[in-house]
Amino acid sequence: MEEIPPSSQSMDADALQKLIHLLKATDDPLIQEQALITLSNSAAFSVNQDIIRNLDGLSVIGGMLLDSAPTVKEKALNALNNLSMNIKNQEEIQVYIMQVCKNIESAPLNSDLQLAGLRLLTNMSVTNDYHYKMINKIPCFLHLLSEGSERTQIQVLKVLVNLSANPATTRHFLKAQVPSLLLLFDNCINTDILLRALVFAANLKKNMNNEDGSMIEDEYSEDSVFSILCRDSTAFAQKLASLLHHPDTDVKEQVVRLLTQ
């Protein structure tokens, strides 16, 4: 899971309660930011994650995702990200997933706000429990994969790897159109991106192989992920063959995994 670095010391319940009350009472973006940064740092301590939840802090922080300034939304996402390390907190944070997706989609490409949202979704997608709330945003995630910077690509791939491990998402991925997907499978690509792209593709292939044979090829367009990985897979196979000579052992392992499925 993704965690923002903590501050040097923990805070007691009274101090946390005052911070949460301050956050509710003020409309000043600078004060909101500072309060959220302090809550975010304190949330890196597991004992405070429970305290903040019990003080109704999650709903206060979550409320910042709606009409606040972009920098305030970013700090709120960072706080929720640290708070999402706790399973009980995830049960409350999940109600904000659709709003987080909207923030990611509307944020400037490669912005800190967009990355903060993706970091939170990475934590919230570790289990399959809340994947159904993210499925409709798969085209958005794949757009970020195609158009984003390396930093954005790495972060969105963490979400895509988590989602693609769930068979319930497979058809949604296979129908999506990503003409530039093949470009990621190249020796010159950043290894962190390449490795995650290979795991993503291997997850999809594995889930397809486990299908009951009910997949109908006609339902997938020429630029779909299905066509790239399966129907017109010669180019993909050639890419994989060249990656067998990649210097990174983990990359080669994922290539072998794909070639033997």
Side-chain angles (χ1 to χ4, degrees):
M1 285 189 176
E2 301 273 318
E3 188 171 4
I4 307 298
S7 59
S8 57
Q9 60 184 23
S10 184
M11 297 179 70
D12 62 27
D14 286 342
L16 290 170
Q17 187 165 37
K18 287 175 183 175
L19 267 177
I20 292 166
H21 283 318
L22 175 62
L23 202 53
K24 288 168 72 173
T26 185
D27 291 326
D28 186 326
L30 291 177
I31 295 175
Q32 289 174 334
E33 277 189 60
Q34 290 308 310
L36 286 165
I37 289 169
T38 306
L39 283 169
S40 178
N41 288 337
S42 68
F45 297 88
S46 56
V47 63
N48 288 341
Q49 294 169 7
D50 292 324
I51 293 171
I52 291 170
R53 182 184 68 252
N54 292 333
L55 292 172
D56 200 29
L58 296 177
S59 64
V60 176
I61 297 169
M64 299 281 108
L65 299 178
L66 287 169
D67 302 317
S68 306
T71 52
V72 174
K73 289 180 183 178
E74 177 207 336
K75 301 304 186 294
L77 287 165
N78 288 340
L80 290 174
N81 181 48
N82 274 359
L83 287 160
S84 70
M85 307 295 285
N86 178 308
I87 296 299
K88 285 187 177 179
N89 285 355
Q90 283 201 4
E91 293 172 3
E92 294 193 23
I93 293 170
Q94 57 93 11
V95 302
Y96 302 109
I97 286 177
M98 292 182 184
Q99 183 59 44
V100 173
C101 290
K102 288 178 183 176
N103 288 347
I104 290 170
E105 197 166 21
S106 62
L109 183 65
N110 305 322
S111 63
D112 288 339
L113 173 57
Q114 193 170 70
L115 288 163
L118 290 170
R119 279 194 296 269
L120 176 55
L121 289 191
T122 300
N123 283 356
M124 296 300 295
S125 61
V126 168
T127 69
N128 294 356
D129 294 348
Y130 310 117
H131 286 184
Y132 71 96
K133 294 193 170 200
M134 306 177 203
I135 279 179
N136 288 339
K137 293 302 178 183
I138 282 175
C140 168
F141 301 147
L142 292 172
H143 172 74
L144 296 182
L145 181 61
S146 294
E147 302 297 328
S149 64
E150 287 192 350
R151 201 162 64 129
T152 299
Q153 287 179 314
I154 289 170
Q155 202 59 60
V156 78
L157 274 165
K158 291 179 181 181
V159 178
L160 293 174
V161 165
N162 286 348
L163 292 176
S164 62
N166 180 359
T169 70
T170 304
R171 286 176 180 265
H172 295 271
F173 276 117
L174 295 179
K175 286 181 179 180
Q177 295 188 336
V178 197
S180 62
L181 184 62
L182 272 181
L183 299 177
L184 296 178
F185 302 99
D186 196 284
N187 279 295
C188 67
I189 293 292
N190 177 312
T191 301
D192 286 336
I193 294 172
L194 174 59
L195 181 58
R196 289 182 172 89
L198 287 166
V199 174
F200 168 63
N203 284 347
L204 293 179
K205 292 274 282 186
K206 176 187 175 184
N207 290 338
M208 286 173 58
N209 291 340
N210 291 339
E211 280 272 346
D212 57 7
S214 60
M215 286 195 171
I216 302 169
E217 287 200 23
D218 291 345
E219 65 183 281
Y220 302 107
S221 67
E222 285 185 14
D223 288 334
S224 67
V225 173
F226 176 83
S227 289
I228 293 168
L229 298 184
C230 303
R231 181 192 287 146
D232 306 313
S233 59
T234 303
F236 182 53
Q238 289 171 345
K239 291 275 191 179
L240 293 178
S242 69
L243 289 173
L244 284 170
H245 305 291
H246 196 280
D248 187 90
T249 304
D250 291 332
V251 166
K252 284 187 279 197
E253 284 182 2
Q254 291 301 323
V255 171
V256 170
R257 180 187 171 200
L258 272 161
L259 289 171
T260 54
Q261 283 181 342

